[in-house]
Structures are given as structure tokens and as C-alpha cells.
Amino acid sequence: MDERRTVKVSKYLSKHLRHQPERIGLVLDAQGWTEIDALLRATAEHGFPITREELDHVVATNDKKRFAIEGTRIRASQGHTVRVDLDLPVAEPPAYLYHGTVADRLSAIRAEGLRPMARHHVHLSPTGRPRPGSAPAGAGRSS
């Protein structure tokens, strides 16, 4: 699977598993899961067919681990704008957490604090550094 197709499939999955499942007729359960067969059928019916091999490739190679497969189900692992309960374990936060953003948002953050905006959570990192091979948070945008 070439890189362009991998990115296209990943973006399509993000859109429909995190933000607009109803757009292709998907139903997510309370934890954000949907049946893989239902997803593949819905993508084909809406003009963007994805094979099971492509799906497995995107899930396995995504550097941010955006998707999870459990048995016959799939879900987005983070960043939802639709209400889901990911049932994440409660953990004691480290002494310092970092938030990646673009420079022109800094004055608003200082004035208003961090806000989730259209999402349900603010994403923070314990290191302030990107994972090896990935860009720093916020680096993909200029504003």
C-alpha cells in the first residue's frame, strides 16, 4: 500500500470514526466501537471502498496509534468530537504536562487557559517531545 493511499484511508477513518460516523451510516457503541464488517460495507457503499488488508495496514502503521482493533470491532483511540467513553484507566499525572500548539494561539491560551474547543479533551504529553519519526504537536499547522 503506497503512502498516499495510507494517508487517505487514515484520514477517512478518522473523519468517520471520530467525528461523523452518521455520514456513512455507522453506529458507534458507547465506547466508540463498530463492527469492522459494517465499516467496510459502509465505506464501499459511500464510494470509498477499503479492503481489510488496507484497514489492517493503516491501524498497524499509524504512528499516533489513532485506531484500535479488538476482535471483530474497530474504534478511534482518541480525538473524538462525538461523545464516547473510551474507558481509559485513571492515572496520577506527572508533575509536568505539555501541550503542543502553534505560536499565534499562545496569547489566547494565556488569557483563557487550555480549552478542548470542538473536542471533549485537551491533549497533553508527559515529555513535550514527539515520538521518534513523528512531528512535534502543532507542527503540521501554521495557524
PDB file of all heavy atoms in Angstrom, residues 40-69:
ATOM      1  N   LEU A  40     -16.436  -1.583   6.663  1.00  0.00           N
ATOM      2  CA  LEU A  40     -16.006  -1.852   5.289  1.00  0.00           C
ATOM      3  C   LEU A  40     -17.187  -1.774   4.316  1.00  0.00           C
ATOM      4  O   LEU A  40     -17.053  -1.243   3.211  1.00  0.00           O
ATOM      5  CB  LEU A  40     -15.313  -3.210   5.208  1.00  0.00           C
ATOM      6  CG  LEU A  40     -14.015  -3.337   6.016  1.00  0.00           C
ATOM      7  CD1 LEU A  40     -13.452  -4.745   5.898  1.00  0.00           C
ATOM      8  CD2 LEU A  40     -12.988  -2.297   5.617  1.00  0.00           C
ATOM      9  N   ARG A  41     -18.329  -2.259   4.733  1.00  0.00           N
ATOM     10  CA  ARG A  41     -19.531  -2.181   3.899  1.00  0.00           C
ATOM     11  C   ARG A  41     -19.940  -0.712   3.689  1.00  0.00           C
ATOM     12  O   ARG A  41     -20.232  -0.287   2.583  1.00  0.00           O
ATOM     13  CB  ARG A  41     -20.668  -2.973   4.571  1.00  0.00           C
ATOM     14  CG  ARG A  41     -21.805  -3.338   3.696  1.00  0.00           C
ATOM     15  CD  ARG A  41     -22.769  -4.357   4.317  1.00  0.00           C
ATOM     16  NE  ARG A  41     -22.956  -4.262   5.769  1.00  0.00           N
ATOM     17  CZ  ARG A  41     -22.420  -5.100   6.664  1.00  0.00           C
ATOM     18  NH1 ARG A  41     -21.656  -6.103   6.281  1.00  0.00           N
ATOM     19  NH2 ARG A  41     -22.657  -4.938   7.951  1.00  0.00           N
ATOM     20  N   ALA A  42     -19.917   0.071   4.761  1.00  0.00           N
ATOM     21  CA  ALA A  42     -20.306   1.485   4.681  1.00  0.00           C
ATOM     22  C   ALA A  42     -19.350   2.285   3.797  1.00  0.00           C
ATOM     23  O   ALA A  42     -19.785   3.128   3.009  1.00  0.00           O
ATOM     24  CB  ALA A  42     -20.365   2.096   6.076  1.00  0.00           C
ATOM     25  N   THR A  43     -18.054   2.019   3.891  1.00  0.00           N
ATOM     26  CA  THR A  43     -17.105   2.766   3.059  1.00  0.00           C
ATOM     27  C   THR A  43     -17.341   2.463   1.581  1.00  0.00           C
ATOM     28  O   THR A  43     -17.321   3.367   0.750  1.00  0.00           O
ATOM     29  CB  THR A  43     -15.645   2.459   3.439  1.00  0.00           C
ATOM     30  OG1 THR A  43     -15.345   1.093   3.227  1.00  0.00           O
ATOM     31  CG2 THR A  43     -15.353   2.850   4.887  1.00  0.00           C
ATOM     32  N   ALA A  44     -17.597   1.196   1.269  1.00  0.00           N
ATOM     33  CA  ALA A  44     -17.862   0.806  -0.124  1.00  0.00           C
ATOM     34  C   ALA A  44     -19.160   1.433  -0.625  1.00  0.00           C
ATOM     35  O   ALA A  44     -19.218   1.953  -1.744  1.00  0.00           O
ATOM     36  CB  ALA A  44     -17.921  -0.714  -0.252  1.00  0.00           C
ATOM     37  N   GLU A  45     -20.194   1.409   0.197  1.00  0.00           N
ATOM     38  CA  GLU A  45     -21.489   1.972  -0.200  1.00  0.00           C
ATOM     39  C   GLU A  45     -21.444   3.480  -0.388  1.00  0.00           C
ATOM     40  O   GLU A  45     -22.290   4.043  -1.076  1.00  0.00           O
ATOM     41  CB  GLU A  45     -22.556   1.611   0.835  1.00  0.00           C
ATOM     42  CG  GLU A  45     -22.926   0.143   0.826  1.00  0.00           C
ATOM     43  CD  GLU A  45     -23.816  -0.253   1.994  1.00  0.00           C
ATOM     44  OE1 GLU A  45     -24.149   0.600   2.846  1.00  0.00           O
ATOM     45  OE2 GLU A  45     -24.195  -1.449   2.056  1.00  0.00           O
ATOM     46  N   HIS A  46     -20.454   4.136   0.218  1.00  0.00           N
ATOM     47  CA  HIS A  46     -20.334   5.590   0.111  1.00  0.00           C
ATOM     48  C   HIS A  46     -19.161   6.017  -0.768  1.00  0.00           C
ATOM     49  O   HIS A  46     -18.652   7.125  -0.649  1.00  0.00           O
ATOM     50  CB  HIS A  46     -20.268   6.210   1.501  1.00  0.00           C
ATOM     51  CG  HIS A  46     -21.586   6.160   2.201  1.00  0.00           C
ATOM     52  ND1 HIS A  46     -22.023   5.045   2.881  1.00  0.00           N
ATOM     53  CD2 HIS A  46     -22.579   7.065   2.268  1.00  0.00           C
ATOM     54  CE1 HIS A  46     -23.228   5.271   3.351  1.00  0.00           C
ATOM     55  NE2 HIS A  46     -23.594   6.489   2.996  1.00  0.00           N
ATOM     56  N   GLY A  47     -18.741   5.112  -1.670  1.00  0.00           N
ATOM     57  CA  GLY A  47     -17.787   5.483  -2.712  1.00  0.00           C
ATOM     58  C   GLY A  47     -16.328   5.506  -2.327  1.00  0.00           C
ATOM     59  O   GLY A  47     -15.493   6.041  -3.060  1.00  0.00           O
ATOM     60  N   PHE A  48     -15.978   4.938  -1.171  1.00  0.00           N
ATOM     61  CA  PHE A  48     -14.576   4.903  -0.760  1.00  0.00           C
ATOM     62  C   PHE A  48     -14.250   3.503  -0.232  1.00  0.00           C
ATOM     63  O   PHE A  48     -14.036   3.301   0.960  1.00  0.00           O
ATOM     64  CB  PHE A  48     -14.301   5.962   0.321  1.00  0.00           C
ATOM     65  CG  PHE A  48     -12.837   6.203   0.567  1.00  0.00           C
ATOM     66  CD1 PHE A  48     -12.121   7.078  -0.236  1.00  0.00           C
ATOM     67  CD2 PHE A  48     -12.174   5.565   1.600  1.00  0.00           C
ATOM     68  CE1 PHE A  48     -10.775   7.300   0.000  1.00  0.00           C
ATOM     69  CE2 PHE A  48     -10.823   5.777   1.838  1.00  0.00           C
ATOM     70  CZ  PHE A  48     -10.131   6.654   1.038  1.00  0.00           C
ATOM     71  N   PRO A  49     -14.242   2.508  -1.123  1.00  0.00           N
ATOM     72  CA  PRO A  49     -14.005   1.141  -0.656  1.00  0.00           C
ATOM     73  C   PRO A  49     -12.616   0.966  -0.043  1.00  0.00           C
ATOM     74  O   PRO A  49     -11.630   1.492  -0.567  1.00  0.00           O
ATOM     75  CB  PRO A  49     -14.165   0.292  -1.911  1.00  0.00           C
ATOM     76  CG  PRO A  49     -14.028   1.225  -3.053  1.00  0.00           C
ATOM     77  CD  PRO A  49     -14.416   2.595  -2.567  1.00  0.00           C
ATOM     78  N   ILE A  50     -12.586   0.263   1.074  1.00  0.00           N
ATOM     79  CA  ILE A  50     -11.345  -0.059   1.778  1.00  0.00           C
ATOM     80  C   ILE A  50     -11.316  -1.572   1.946  1.00  0.00           C
ATOM     81  O   ILE A  50     -12.310  -2.168   2.361  1.00  0.00           O
ATOM     82  CB  ILE A  50     -11.307   0.614   3.176  1.00  0.00           C
ATOM     83  CG1 ILE A  50     -11.375   2.141   3.057  1.00  0.00           C
ATOM     84  CG2 ILE A  50     -10.061   0.194   3.944  1.00  0.00           C
ATOM     85  CD1 ILE A  50     -11.591   2.837   4.394  1.00  0.00           C
ATOM     86  N   THR A  51     -10.186  -2.188   1.653  1.00  0.00           N
ATOM     87  CA  THR A  51     -10.067  -3.629   1.880  1.00  0.00           C
ATOM     88  C   THR A  51      -9.673  -3.880   3.330  1.00  0.00           C
ATOM     89  O   THR A  51      -9.146  -3.000   4.015  1.00  0.00           O
ATOM     90  CB  THR A  51      -9.003  -4.264   0.961  1.00  0.00           C
ATOM     91  OG1 THR A  51      -7.704  -3.776   1.353  1.00  0.00           O
ATOM     92  CG2 THR A  51      -9.273  -3.959  -0.511  1.00  0.00           C
ATOM     93  N   ARG A  52      -9.886  -5.103   3.771  1.00  0.00           N
ATOM     94  CA  ARG A  52      -9.475  -5.471   5.133  1.00  0.00           C
ATOM     95  C   ARG A  52      -7.964  -5.351   5.279  1.00  0.00           C
ATOM     96  O   ARG A  52      -7.452  -4.924   6.322  1.00  0.00           O
ATOM     97  CB  ARG A  52      -9.953  -6.893   5.466  1.00  0.00           C
ATOM     98  CG  ARG A  52      -9.532  -7.383   6.846  1.00  0.00           C
ATOM     99  CD  ARG A  52     -10.101  -6.489   7.953  1.00  0.00           C
ATOM    100  NE  ARG A  52      -9.447  -6.698   9.217  1.00  0.00           N
ATOM    101  CZ  ARG A  52      -9.970  -7.357  10.241  1.00  0.00           C
ATOM    102  NH1 ARG A  52     -11.181  -7.873  10.147  1.00  0.00           N
ATOM    103  NH2 ARG A  52      -9.302  -7.491  11.361  1.00  0.00           N
ATOM    104  N   GLU A  53      -7.231  -5.679   4.214  1.00  0.00           N
ATOM    105  CA  GLU A  53      -5.774  -5.571   4.260  1.00  0.00           C
ATOM    106  C   GLU A  53      -5.337  -4.113   4.418  1.00  0.00           C
ATOM    107  O   GLU A  53      -4.409  -3.821   5.176  1.00  0.00           O
ATOM    108  CB  GLU A  53      -5.148  -6.185   2.995  1.00  0.00           C
ATOM    109  CG  GLU A  53      -5.303  -7.698   2.903  1.00  0.00           C
ATOM    110  CD  GLU A  53      -6.731  -8.147   2.514  1.00  0.00           C
ATOM    111  OE1 GLU A  53      -7.477  -7.370   1.880  1.00  0.00           O
ATOM    112  OE2 GLU A  53      -7.096  -9.285   2.868  1.00  0.00           O
ATOM    113  N   GLU A  54      -6.003  -3.208   3.701  1.00  0.00           N
ATOM    114  CA  GLU A  54      -5.682  -1.782   3.848  1.00  0.00           C
ATOM    115  C   GLU A  54      -5.991  -1.302   5.259  1.00  0.00           C
ATOM    116  O   GLU A  54      -5.202  -0.565   5.866  1.00  0.00           O
ATOM    117  CB  GLU A  54      -6.465  -0.951   2.831  1.00  0.00           C
ATOM    118  CG  GLU A  54      -5.987  -1.103   1.407  1.00  0.00           C
ATOM    119  CD  GLU A  54      -6.850  -0.358   0.412  1.00  0.00           C
ATOM    120  OE1 GLU A  54      -8.103  -0.354   0.551  1.00  0.00           O
ATOM    121  OE2 GLU A  54      -6.272   0.227  -0.528  1.00  0.00           O
ATOM    122  N   LEU A  55      -7.133  -1.705   5.777  1.00  0.00           N
ATOM    123  CA  LEU A  55      -7.516  -1.320   7.128  1.00  0.00           C
ATOM    124  C   LEU A  55      -6.477  -1.796   8.139  1.00  0.00           C
ATOM    125  O   LEU A  55      -5.999  -1.008   8.977  1.00  0.00           O
ATOM    126  CB  LEU A  55      -8.892  -1.904   7.465  1.00  0.00           C
ATOM    127  CG  LEU A  55      -9.423  -1.597   8.853  1.00  0.00           C
ATOM    128  CD1 LEU A  55      -9.781  -0.126   8.975  1.00  0.00           C
ATOM    129  CD2 LEU A  55     -10.628  -2.464   9.151  1.00  0.00           C
ATOM    130  N   ASP A  56      -6.104  -3.058   8.061  1.00  0.00           N
ATOM    131  CA  ASP A  56      -5.106  -3.605   8.981  1.00  0.00           C
ATOM    132  C   ASP A  56      -3.776  -2.866   8.866  1.00  0.00           C
ATOM    133  O   ASP A  56      -3.115  -2.597   9.880  1.00  0.00           O
ATOM    134  CB  ASP A  56      -4.903  -5.099   8.732  1.00  0.00           C
ATOM    135  CG  ASP A  56      -6.095  -5.940   9.167  1.00  0.00           C
ATOM    136  OD1 ASP A  56      -6.930  -5.456   9.967  1.00  0.00           O
ATOM    137  OD2 ASP A  56      -6.200  -7.089   8.690  1.00  0.00           O
ATOM    138  N   HIS A  57      -3.385  -2.528   7.643  1.00  0.00           N
ATOM    139  CA  HIS A  57      -2.132  -1.795   7.425  1.00  0.00           C
ATOM    140  C   HIS A  57      -2.177  -0.425   8.096  1.00  0.00           C
ATOM    141  O   HIS A  57      -1.232  -0.036   8.800  1.00  0.00           O
ATOM    142  CB  HIS A  57      -1.859  -1.644   5.924  1.00  0.00           C
ATOM    143  CG  HIS A  57      -0.673  -0.790   5.618  1.00  0.00           C
ATOM    144  ND1 HIS A  57       0.614  -1.257   5.705  1.00  0.00           N
ATOM    145  CD2 HIS A  57      -0.587   0.513   5.236  1.00  0.00           C
ATOM    146  CE1 HIS A  57       1.455  -0.280   5.392  1.00  0.00           C
ATOM    147  NE2 HIS A  57       0.750   0.795   5.100  1.00  0.00           N
ATOM    148  N   VAL A  58      -3.259   0.310   7.899  1.00  0.00           N
ATOM    149  CA  VAL A  58      -3.380   1.653   8.480  1.00  0.00           C
ATOM    150  C   VAL A  58      -3.367   1.581  10.009  1.00  0.00           C
ATOM    151  O   VAL A  58      -2.678   2.358  10.672  1.00  0.00           O
ATOM    152  CB  VAL A  58      -4.648   2.367   7.964  1.00  0.00           C
ATOM    153  CG1 VAL A  58      -4.947   3.618   8.766  1.00  0.00           C
ATOM    154  CG2 VAL A  58      -4.485   2.706   6.489  1.00  0.00           C
ATOM    155  N   VAL A  59      -4.096   0.639  10.572  1.00  0.00           N
ATOM    156  CA  VAL A  59      -4.128   0.500  12.032  1.00  0.00           C
ATOM    157  C   VAL A  59      -2.739   0.146  12.568  1.00  0.00           C
ATOM    158  O   VAL A  59      -2.274   0.729  13.545  1.00  0.00           O
ATOM    159  CB  VAL A  59      -5.173  -0.546  12.458  1.00  0.00           C
ATOM    160  CG1 VAL A  59      -5.067  -0.847  13.957  1.00  0.00           C
ATOM    161  CG2 VAL A  59      -6.587  -0.077  12.113  1.00  0.00           C
ATOM    162  N   ALA A  60      -2.061  -0.779  11.925  1.00  0.00           N
ATOM    163  CA  ALA A  60      -0.761  -1.246  12.412  1.00  0.00           C
ATOM    164  C   ALA A  60       0.355  -0.225  12.262  1.00  0.00           C
ATOM    165  O   ALA A  60       1.282  -0.200  13.071  1.00  0.00           O
ATOM    166  CB  ALA A  60      -0.369  -2.530  11.680  1.00  0.00           C
ATOM    167  N   THR A  61       0.283   0.631  11.232  1.00  0.00           N
ATOM    168  CA  THR A  61       1.406   1.529  10.949  1.00  0.00           C
ATOM    169  C   THR A  61       1.186   2.965  11.389  1.00  0.00           C
ATOM    170  O   THR A  61       2.105   3.772  11.274  1.00  0.00           O
ATOM    171  CB  THR A  61       1.739   1.525   9.439  1.00  0.00           C
ATOM    172  OG1 THR A  61       0.604   1.997   8.698  1.00  0.00           O
ATOM    173  CG2 THR A  61       2.141   0.128   8.977  1.00  0.00           C
ATOM    174  N   ASN A  62       0.025   3.302  11.918  1.00  0.00           N
ATOM    175  CA  ASN A  62      -0.223   4.685  12.317  1.00  0.00           C
ATOM    176  C   ASN A  62       0.675   5.062  13.491  1.00  0.00           C
ATOM    177  O   ASN A  62       0.618   4.434  14.549  1.00  0.00           O
ATOM    178  CB  ASN A  62      -1.696   4.887  12.675  1.00  0.00           C
ATOM    179  CG  ASN A  62      -1.985   6.341  12.930  1.00  0.00           C
ATOM    180  OD1 ASN A  62      -1.831   6.818  14.048  1.00  0.00           O
ATOM    181  ND2 ASN A  62      -2.351   7.058  11.887  1.00  0.00           N
ATOM    182  N   ASP A  63       1.505   6.084  13.288  1.00  0.00           N
ATOM    183  CA  ASP A  63       2.491   6.450  14.303  1.00  0.00           C
ATOM    184  C   ASP A  63       1.868   6.992  15.585  1.00  0.00           C
ATOM    185  O   ASP A  63       2.470   6.924  16.643  1.00  0.00           O
ATOM    186  CB  ASP A  63       3.510   7.449  13.739  1.00  0.00           C
ATOM    187  CG  ASP A  63       2.906   8.794  13.377  1.00  0.00           C
ATOM    188  OD1 ASP A  63       1.714   8.845  13.013  1.00  0.00           O
ATOM    189  OD2 ASP A  63       3.625   9.809  13.451  1.00  0.00           O
ATOM    190  N   LYS A  64       0.659   7.497  15.517  1.00  0.00           N
ATOM    191  CA  LYS A  64      -0.003   8.012  16.711  1.00  0.00           C
ATOM    192  C   LYS A  64      -1.009   7.020  17.297  1.00  0.00           C
ATOM    193  O   LYS A  64      -1.755   7.355  18.210  1.00  0.00           O
ATOM    194  CB  LYS A  64      -0.692   9.340  16.404  1.00  0.00           C
ATOM    195  CG  LYS A  64       0.296  10.443  16.091  1.00  0.00           C
ATOM    196  CD  LYS A  64      -0.393  11.767  15.929  1.00  0.00           C
ATOM    197  CE  LYS A  64       0.640  12.856  15.664  1.00  0.00           C
ATOM    198  NZ  LYS A  64       0.008  14.161  15.525  1.00  0.00           N
ATOM    199  N   LYS A  65      -1.036   5.811  16.754  1.00  0.00           N
ATOM    200  CA  LYS A  65      -1.942   4.765  17.251  1.00  0.00           C
ATOM    201  C   LYS A  65      -3.374   5.280  17.350  1.00  0.00           C
ATOM    202  O   LYS A  65      -4.044   5.134  18.356  1.00  0.00           O
ATOM    203  CB  LYS A  65      -1.456   4.220  18.603  1.00  0.00           C
ATOM    204  CG  LYS A  65      -0.043   3.702  18.592  1.00  0.00           C
ATOM    205  CD  LYS A  65       0.065   2.498  17.682  1.00  0.00           C
ATOM    206  CE  LYS A  65       1.487   1.973  17.650  1.00  0.00           C
ATOM    207  NZ  LYS A  65       1.798   1.302  16.408  1.00  0.00           N
ATOM    208  N   ARG A  66      -3.848   5.890  16.250  1.00  0.00           N
ATOM    209  CA  ARG A  66      -5.170   6.506  16.228  1.00  0.00           C
ATOM    210  C   ARG A  66      -6.330   5.520  16.284  1.00  0.00           C
ATOM    211  O   ARG A  66      -7.438   5.896  16.610  1.00  0.00           O
ATOM    212  CB  ARG A  66      -5.315   7.355  14.969  1.00  0.00           C
ATOM    213  CG  ARG A  66      -4.555   8.648  15.031  1.00  0.00           C
ATOM    214  CD  ARG A  66      -4.952   9.552  13.869  1.00  0.00           C
ATOM    215  NE  ARG A  66      -4.381  10.853  14.054  1.00  0.00           N
ATOM    216  CZ  ARG A  66      -3.311  11.293  13.420  1.00  0.00           C
ATOM    217  NH1 ARG A  66      -2.711  10.531  12.545  1.00  0.00           N
ATOM    218  NH2 ARG A  66      -2.856  12.504  13.647  1.00  0.00           N
ATOM    219  N   PHE A  67      -6.076   4.256  15.940  1.00  0.00           N
ATOM    220  CA  PHE A  67      -7.153   3.276  15.849  1.00  0.00           C
ATOM    221  C   PHE A  67      -6.796   2.014  16.617  1.00  0.00           C
ATOM    222  O   PHE A  67      -5.624   1.676  16.764  1.00  0.00           O
ATOM    223  CB  PHE A  67      -7.423   2.918  14.379  1.00  0.00           C
ATOM    224  CG  PHE A  67      -7.515   4.120  13.493  1.00  0.00           C
ATOM    225  CD1 PHE A  67      -6.468   4.458  12.647  1.00  0.00           C
ATOM    226  CD2 PHE A  67      -8.640   4.942  13.519  1.00  0.00           C
ATOM    227  CE1 PHE A  67      -6.538   5.585  11.841  1.00  0.00           C
ATOM    228  CE2 PHE A  67      -8.713   6.071  12.716  1.00  0.00           C
ATOM    229  CZ  PHE A  67      -7.654   6.387  11.877  1.00  0.00           C
ATOM    230  N   ALA A  68      -7.848   1.324  17.083  1.00  0.00           N
ATOM    231  CA  ALA A  68      -7.653   0.057  17.789  1.00  0.00           C
ATOM    232  C   ALA A  68      -8.615  -0.970  17.219  1.00  0.00           C
ATOM    233  O   ALA A  68      -9.765  -0.645  16.905  1.00  0.00           O
ATOM    234  CB  ALA A  68      -7.904   0.244  19.278  1.00  0.00           C
ATOM    235  N   ILE A  69      -8.127  -2.194  17.082  1.00  0.00           N
ATOM    236  CA  ILE A  69      -8.972  -3.311  16.673  1.00  0.00           C
ATOM    237  C   ILE A  69      -9.002  -4.301  17.836  1.00  0.00           C
ATOM    238  O   ILE A  69      -7.967  -4.620  18.418  1.00  0.00           O
ATOM    239  CB  ILE A  69      -8.433  -3.985  15.393  1.00  0.00           C
ATOM    240  CG1 ILE A  69      -8.645  -3.067  14.186  1.00  0.00           C
ATOM    241  CG2 ILE A  69      -9.111  -5.331  15.171  1.00  0.00           C
ATOM    242  CD1 ILE A  69      -8.120  -3.613  12.868  1.00  0.00           C
TER     243      ILE A  69
END
